[in-house]
Amino acid sequence: MAECTTLDSLLEMGFDRNRAEKAVAHTGNQGIESAMDWLMEHENDPDIDEPYVPPAGNTLGTTEEQSQAPTETSESAEFAEFIEEGGDGNKAMTEEERQEQVKRLEELMKMRQEERKERERKDEIEREKQRRKQGQELLQVKQKLQDDEMKKLADLRRREKMEDRLAKQRVKDKIARDREERAQKFGGGSSSTGLSSPPFEAPLQSPPENQGAPPAKKDYDDCRIQVRLLDGSTLSTVFKAQEPLAAVRVYVQMNGANGQDFNLITPYPRRVYTDLDMEKPLSELGLVPSAVLVVTKK
């Protein structure tokens, strides 16, 4: 009668008969605790409520099984007092004893449910840790991309500085050669006097002294740019005069554009810079030695 005892105990606790029969069959009638564990583990199975079809020759509660059933284990024997076993002369349980046993089973089921909730809570904590770890890895990748972009921009600026120094050196060399050629030319025409070269050399030195200010304006190396953002805040930094306007745009994108597309304009006189202007040096655009740019939405 062990199988019937476990089945009837599950039914008295409020389990559906179909589920109770499946639990008893799948646990091999190893006792009420095994059946309850199986029910709690499989309560969300899609086929849990499908009609139970026992194997051929194995029907729960048949007289043949009762005669062939092995001696009850200590686990199932604990719950054998739930029902009155007909025809074998055992004494039936009183109602108080039955209620007490049902209460014990309900407490056991509640304890198992709490254990399952605790496992689920720990699993959720572990999943949250994994999500945070993945988020940190994504931030690290993003930071690395930004660092690489800044390194590329720094390399570009270094190359432009080097090219600018080489260009200035070529200009200086050309000026020196021109002066030497002119000195030789005029010096050869007045070789008989020998005194004509000093008056000629003095004027060559005086014009650079009198005209020192205008070349200084043309030879600015740095350019201070102030940018007013969409939210009213400002950015200010120094660029090289030969850097393209694209360097200013990249600087704004990295420090205050927040991923928005924008235009750069000068308010006085008003000018909207196009994509073609982005490749032009700041000196060619008239932004040297200093300028104020305004960010506007496209």
Side-chain angles (χ1 to χ4, degrees):
M1 296 297 293
E3 200 168 19
C4 289
T5 299
T6 302
L7 177 61
D8 289 350
S9 299
L10 293 173
L11 294 176
E12 189 164 349
M13 291 177 64
F15 287 103
D16 180 74
R17 171 174 287 276
N18 186 57
R19 295 190 178 192
E21 290 178 352
K22 284 186 176 182
V24 172
H26 285 289
T27 58
N29 193 24
Q30 294 299 314
I32 188 69
E33 292 189 23
S34 298
M36 288 172 58
D37 290 341
W38 188 93
L39 283 169
M40 285 187 288
E41 291 176 2
H42 296 273
E43 63 179 353
N44 295 322
D45 289 357
D47 60 344
I48 187 66
D49 291 319
E50 293 183 4
Y52 173 67
V53 180
N58 182 19
T59 304
L60 293 176
T62 59
T63 305
E64 182 181 356
E65 276 190 347
Q66 295 173 10
S67 62
Q68 297 177 355
T71 305
E72 291 182 341
T73 63
S74 59
E75 201 173 73
S76 61
E78 182 181 353
F79 303 97
E81 301 175 359
F82 270 93
I83 63 169
E84 177 183 0
E85 300 182 2
D88 58 2
N90 288 343
K91 182 180 178 180
M93 294 177 60
T94 65
E95 184 63 26
E96 292 181 358
E97 292 174 337
R98 186 183 297 274
Q99 292 297 328
E100 181 65 23
Q101 292 293 342
V102 170
K103 183 179 179 181
R104 288 174 56 193
L105 288 176
E106 289 176 348
E107 291 176 353
L108 177 62
M109 183 172 65
K110 182 178 179 181
M111 181 182 66
R112 295 295 173 83
Q113 290 175 344
E114 289 176 354
E115 291 176 354
R116 185 181 62 177
K117 289 180 180 178
E118 181 65 17
R119 289 195 303 269
E120 292 175 351
R121 186 184 68 83
K122 291 181 179 179
D123 292 342
E124 180 62 26
I125 291 175
E126 186 63 27
R127 287 193 294 270
E128 180 63 23
K129 290 181 180 179
Q130 292 296 328
R131 285 195 292 269
R132 292 182 180 180
K133 182 179 179 181
Q134 293 175 356
Q136 292 175 354
E137 291 175 352
L138 289 175
L139 288 176
Q140 292 175 356
V141 171
K142 183 178 179 181
Q143 184 64 40
K144 185 178 183 302
L145 292 175
Q146 291 179 350
D147 293 342
D148 292 343
E149 185 66 24
M150 292 301 294
K151 288 180 180 178
K152 291 179 181 178
L153 184 59
D155 292 339
L156 176 62
R157 289 182 178 178
R158 283 194 294 269
R159 288 196 299 269
E160 290 175 348
K161 289 179 182 179
M162 180 62 69
E163 293 174 357
D164 185 53
R165 285 196 294 267
L166 293 175
K168 288 181 179 180
Q169 186 62 41
R170 288 194 294 270
V171 172
K172 290 179 180 179
D173 294 342
K174 186 176 185 302
I175 292 174
R177 288 195 301 270
D178 291 344
R179 286 180 177 178
E180 184 178 354
E181 292 175 357
R182 283 183 291 178
Q184 292 176 356
K185 179 179 179 181
F186 288 101
S190 57
S191 58
S192 59
T193 62
L195 299 175
S196 59
S197 57
F200 174 74
E201 291 177 358
L204 288 176
Q205 295 177 357
S206 58
E209 293 178 359
N210 297 331
Q211 298 177 358
K217 292 182 180 179
K218 296 181 181 179
D219 291 341
Y220 282 116
D221 291 334
D222 297 327
C223 173
R224 177 169 293 277
I225 299 295
Q226 185 178 26
V227 182
R228 187 163 67 243
L229 303 177
L230 294 172
D231 59 1
S233 61
T234 60
L235 298 173
S236 180
T237 189
V238 176
F239 296 89
K240 290 300 179 181
Q242 297 302 318
E243 287 191 74
L245 184 59
V248 180
R249 183 178 181 86
V250 172
Y251 175 77
V252 175
Q253 288 175 337
M254 299 293 294
N255 293 276
N258 296 326
Q260 298 181 1
D261 199 6
F262 60 89
N263 286 326
L264 291 175
I265 68 170
T266 51
Y268 304 106
R270 181 177 176 82
R271 177 178 177 180
V272 179
Y273 294 99
T274 63
D275 293 338
L276 296 177
D277 294 327
M278 294 298 155
E279 303 300 327
K280 297 179 181 179
L282 299 176
S283 58
E284 182 179 337
L285 295 172
L287 301 177
V288 176
S290 64
V292 176
L293 299 177
V294 179
V295 175
T296 61
K297 293 182 178 179
K298 276 193 172 182

